[in-house]
């Protein structure tokens, strides 16, 4: 076939030699690494609980606002009908 590759008869597969050379340590002066701040599990739990409580409060305020708006529309409708009956 035209596209079938063939190796020459005297070809061998090269083997990579294992690396024994280690890089030389640099002579430059690096700044010391800063330690990352540690966070306790109590702080994480406090933040999560606070987020849940604030979300629940926001949802309660939204539901109350919708309830007040519906009550206002109903009262307006009732008062409008009452004034038209006179």
């Amino acid at each position: 076939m035209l596209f079938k590759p063939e190796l020459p008869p005297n070809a061998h597969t090269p083997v990579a030699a294992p690396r024994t050379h280690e890089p030389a340590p640099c002579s430059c002066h690096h700044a010391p690494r800063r330690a990352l701040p540690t966070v306790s599990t109590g702080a994480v739990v406090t933040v999560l609980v606070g987020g849940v409580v604030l979300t629940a409060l926001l949802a309660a305020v939204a539901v109350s606002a919708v309830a007040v708006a519906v009550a206002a529309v109903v009262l307006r409708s009732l008062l409008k009908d009452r004034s038209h009956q006179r």
Side-chain angles (χ1 to χ4, degrees), residues 19-63:
R19 239 182 173 191
T20 57
H21 173 65
E22 292 192 22
C26 66
S27 61
C28 55
H29 300 286
H30 294 287
R33 280 192 171 186
R34 293 187 303 154
L36 294 175
T38 58
V39 178
S40 66
T41 55
V44 172
V45 169
T46 303
V47 169
L48 289 177
V49 168
V52 168
V53 168
L54 289 176
T55 304
L57 287 173
L58 181 64
V61 168
V63 168

